[in-house]
Amino acid sequence: MTTQAATGSDFSWTAERARLDGLPGGGLNIAHEAVDRHAAGPLRDRAALRWLARDGSVHDTTYGELAAQTSRFARLLADLGVEPGETVFALLGRVPELHVAALGTFKRRAVFCPLYSAFGPEPVAQRLTLGAGAVLVTTPRLYARRVAPVRDRLPALRHVLLVGADAADVAPEVPGGVDLAVELAARPPAWEIPPTSADDVALLHFTSGTTGRPKGALHVHEAVVAHHATGRIALDLREGDVFWCTADPGWVTGMSYGVITPLSHGVTCLIDEGEFDATRWYETLAEQRVTVWYTAPTAIRMLMRAGAELAREHDLSALRLIASVGEPLNAEAVRWGAEHLGLPIRDTWWQTETGGIMIGNLAGLEVRPGAMGRPLPGVEASIGRRDEEGELRVADGVPVMADDGEGGELLLRAGWPSMFRGYLNEDERYARCFVGGWYRTGDLARRDEDGWYWFLGRGDDVIKSAGHLIGPFEVERVLMEHPAVVEAGVIGVPDEMAGQRIKAFVVLAPGVNAETAAGLPRALLGFARTRLGAVVAPKEIEVRDELPHTRSGKVMRRLLRARELGLPEGDLSTLETAT
Ligand code: 6R9
């Protein structure tokens, strides 16, 4: 049995598309739906973006201003010779220029690819190389730290658009460097979006798999139909809302729900440049009168640790809905929200490949603490049965479905508007994600008899730490670049705050003397941190004489994990529930 949507029997994606404008000559472009149509109407002078800068200052950008800035950006790309279909990369923190670059890129009908600003030079170089990046928007500081060290590996990079007060000074020293603000100011604020088909690629999001290089998930302009619909159905966005998505736009949540969804609803988006700080976050919620707040379980746990007293000191009465995504949200956190923030926290589930929320504790409906929720209208989910080896069972070309209550692989019927349309240059890998019309999420879950979905774990070795998806191979590869390391195995171990923490096991090269070996874990931590950045680098390194291998010679991360957690090694299929 499969489960249909929790609500909305009269729901259709066609009707959702009809809620949007479409381009004047037909077609669909995200930037028109998110900006231009509001700038041309009564919302013109409404704040689209409210940037809370690190120095405490607050800056608003109206829909009218955002339309002008994004048009200038599109014109700049055209002047630089960036053609439709080419990719524009951004390596930026939480600043409004990120929104301008993304939406301006859509207006050029080019493809936007955000990179997480905490990535070290290695992940940055790898993604820019895979995407053959010709244009990068970044700050002088990020350029110096993350790009300059690897610039000789990036021959395709032609233009570096620099953001910030020091951009003009630094630009002459950066090959292809220009000051973005100066370039934008020199261009007219009008730009006609070229004809854009709903199937044109708009976004490239790199995500991690168990093995090999990062996967580049491709999303099309039609995704905005799902962004808009899920913004209403799951997050209850309404006119006049002040919406705060705390995710960084370097990841899919920050792009889908920090940029596209709220703007498509004409609401005000908060952009908070600073890092997590419990007091400042409560102050932001209270002073900005945030009405809808989309955050992550790690952040909720950190607020819980900061204590209920702190929550009580702030006026959170403007809040109408709190939701979270990215990792399991424990039932206790849901209830803590209800008790101390005045609202239960609504868990939602989705992933880079789905582009938008697929399952959730939807606005206005019952919340079931500990459950991810129920499929959204227009989304059909199911659980596929797995065999003893953990492989999905398939009969006559279609997955064999599990019974209610039975754990298995979470499947989604292919065809929702924000579904990814390919992995960059990897058609076969994309094809393998689908079986008999079902998309394989790679997550393990079960459905109860009422149709609610419960997360059990990942079906692969990918790590989720503080909501960030990390591929173990990317970390292992860098560790093995160190001359003292011959082999590495990287796993996630349970962590009270971050959900999982990255731990590496390494085997040393023959001939490494005892003295060097003693200092190696520390040296390796520094080595990995410099290359990978703090978020991706392991927090812990342990030297081993050998690592367990599969028959084909691959490091058996599951066994490493089983041993680390003191679980029985025999039945590896039960491991997922322990992480
Ligand atoms: C949006 C995003 C996707 C993976 C996903 C799953 C995990 C997301 C979750 C959850 C438990 C939830 N995940 N939401 N696990 N409960 N509500 O996070 O995308 O970075 O691609 O990660 O995150 O394992 O498959 P992405």
Side-chain angles (χ1 to χ4, degrees):
M1 204 197 89
T2 63
T3 307
Q4 288 282 357
T7 54
S9 50
D10 54 354
F11 179 93
S12 82
W13 287 117
T14 315
E16 290 305 311
R17 163 110 189 231
R19 288 173 183 265
L20 298 173
D21 228 14
L23 286 177
L28 191 64
N29 186 296
I30 296 172
H32 175 81
E33 304 306 330
V35 188
D36 285 7
R37 68 171 175 146
H38 303 311
L43 297 180
R44 181 170 183 81
D45 297 323
R46 172 90 39 100
L49 311 176
R50 174 161 302 155
W51 180 44
L52 313 179
R54 217 183 280 273
D55 66 7
S57 58
V58 179
H59 311 257
D60 281 4
T61 307
T62 64
Y63 276 95
E65 289 163 347
L66 189 58
Q69 283 299 81
T70 50
S71 287
R72 291 187 170 108
F73 192 91
R75 170 96 47 187
L76 170 61
L77 292 181
D79 289 351
L80 292 175
V82 177
E83 296 299 326
E86 269 196 79
T87 307
V88 173
F89 283 78
L91 178 67
L92 287 172
R94 291 177 292 273
V95 293
E97 285 84 355
L98 186 284
H99 291 62
V100 170
L103 296 156
T105 299
F106 300 150
K107 284 191 170 181
R108 176 64 186 137
R109 198 156 58 75
V111 179
F112 189 71
C113 180
L115 300 173
Y116 185 43
S117 62
F119 277 156
E122 274 309 316
V124 168
Q126 195 175 28
R127 286 158 177 78
L128 278 169
T129 306
L130 289 171
V135 185
L136 174 68
V137 189
T138 189
T139 63
R141 187 160 181 267
L142 287 168
Y143 183 85
R145 299 167 114 208
R146 320 278 202 225
V147 186
V150 289
R151 181 69 192 261
D152 56 349
R153 283 160 54 188
L154 306 170
L157 186 56
R158 296 195 306 268
H159 305 288
V160 180
L161 314 183
L162 293 163
V163 172
D166 48 349
D169 293 339
V170 176
E173 291 150 34
V174 173
V178 294
D179 179 345
L180 180 64
V182 168
E183 296 298 324
L184 293 183
R187 287 178 168 78
W191 168 267
E192 198 181 318
I193 297 177
T196 311
S197 137
D199 293 325
D200 283 337
V201 175
L203 277 161
L204 168 62
H205 277 295
F206 281 101
T207 180
S208 297
T210 301
T211 55
R213 59 199 211 187
K215 308 177 271 189
L218 296 165
H219 287 279
V220 298
H221 282 271
E222 193 189 7
V224 69
V225 176
H227 293 141
H228 191 73
T230 55
R232 186 182 79 255
I233 296 162
L235 302 176
D236 190 31
L237 286 178
R238 300 177 196 171
E239 200 183 320
D241 270 333
V242 176
F243 175 70
W244 186 19
C245 170
T246 61
D248 194 282
W251 300 94
V252 72
T253 305
M255 184 53 58
S256 292
Y257 292 95
V259 180
I260 301 171
T261 302
L263 294 178
S264 83
H265 280 274
V267 308
T268 299
C269 288
L270 283 193
I271 308 172
D272 179 34
E273 190 180 20
E275 299 308 322
F276 176 87
D277 176 271
T279 303
R280 202 176 55 76
W281 274 35
Y282 282 126
E283 282 167 7
T284 301
L285 290 168
E287 285 165 16
Q288 296 300 331
R289 309 290 297 158
V290 172
T291 52
V292 180
W293 186 32
Y294 198 26
T295 190
T298 295
I300 299 291
R301 286 192 290 269
M302 293 200 284
L303 291 180
M304 289 168 73
R305 185 168 64 175
E309 187 57 37
L310 193 59
R312 261 195 299 281
E313 288 167 13
H314 295 88
D315 173 12
L316 305 178
S317 60
L319 273 174
R320 201 174 69 242
L321 182 138
I322 309 175
S324 92
V325 67
E327 6 151 15
L329 181 70
N330 40 326
E332 194 196 342
V334 178
R335 295 195 195 98
W336 189 88
E339 194 175 339
H340 301 293
L341 305 176
L343 293 166
I345 295 157
R346 294 175 180 270
D347 193 9
T348 65
W349 177 96
W350 57 288
Q351 54 183 197
T352 302
E353 286 84 347
T354 73
I357 302 170
M358 296 283 107
I359 292 175
N361 287 267
L362 306 184
L365 299 179
E366 175 197 346
V367 174
R368 206 165 268 201
M372 303 194 290
R374 288 198 280 178
L376 264 73
V379 173
E380 193 182 345
S382 191
I383 301 290
R385 187 169 276 172
R386 303 200 315 158
D387 63 22
E388 279 94 63
E389 266 83 57
E391 292 300 318
L392 180 70
R393 286 189 51 188
V394 178
D396 299 328
V398 287
V400 178
M401 299 306 179
D403 294 330
D404 285 348
E406 180 186 335
E409 182 169 350
L410 177 61
L411 306 173
L412 300 168
R413 171 84 73 189
W416 65 96
S418 62
M419 188 177 88
F420 73 134
R421 303 301 163 89
Y423 282 130
L424 183 69
N425 302 328
E426 293 189 282
D427 292 347
E428 221 173 279
R429 198 174 197 176
Y430 182 70
R432 280 203 302 273
C433 294
F434 298 88
V435 178
W438 292 87
Y439 165 66
R440 300 183 58 175
T441 67
D443 275 8
L444 304 179
R446 70 179 165 79
R447 183 188 49 228
D448 66 23
E449 56 285 0
D450 301 326
W452 292 76
Y453 284 74
W454 300 74
F455 184 75
L456 296 176
R458 297 275 319 183
D460 56 21
D461 293 335
V462 168
I463 302 160
K464 257 280 159 130
S465 182
H468 305 310
L469 195 74
I470 294 151
F473 180 71
E474 196 161 7
V475 184
E476 291 162 1
R477 193 172 56 89
V478 161
L479 289 171
M480 285 190 285
E481 276 167 20
H482 193 282
V485 174
V486 284
E487 192 169 44
V490 167
I491 60 167
V493 296
D495 182 275
E496 213 184 310
M497 275 301 138
Q500 287 189 309
R501 169 175 92 243
I502 305 173
K503 176 163 185 180
F505 297 88
V506 295
V507 176
L508 299 185
V512 174
N513 65 40
E515 202 184 324
T516 315
L520 256 181
R522 257 193 87 157
L524 280 173
L525 285 176
F527 178 84
R529 225 182 135 92
T530 313
R531 281 162 183 75
L532 291 165
V535 171
V536 187
K539 297 278 177 298
E540 226 179 302
I541 295 187
E542 200 177 304
V543 176
R544 286 277 170 90
D545 290 336
E546 57 178 5
L547 300 179
H549 290 104
T550 62
R551 242 170 283 151
S552 61
K554 283 191 227 144
V555 173
M556 241 176 137
R557 302 190 189 97
R558 278 164 181 248
L559 203 54
L560 280 174
R561 207 157 77 211
R563 289 178 184 164
E564 185 68 13
L565 303 181
L567 296 169
E569 291 176 16
D571 183 11
L572 294 179
S573 64
T574 59
L575 260 182
E576 292 79 17
T577 48
T579 52

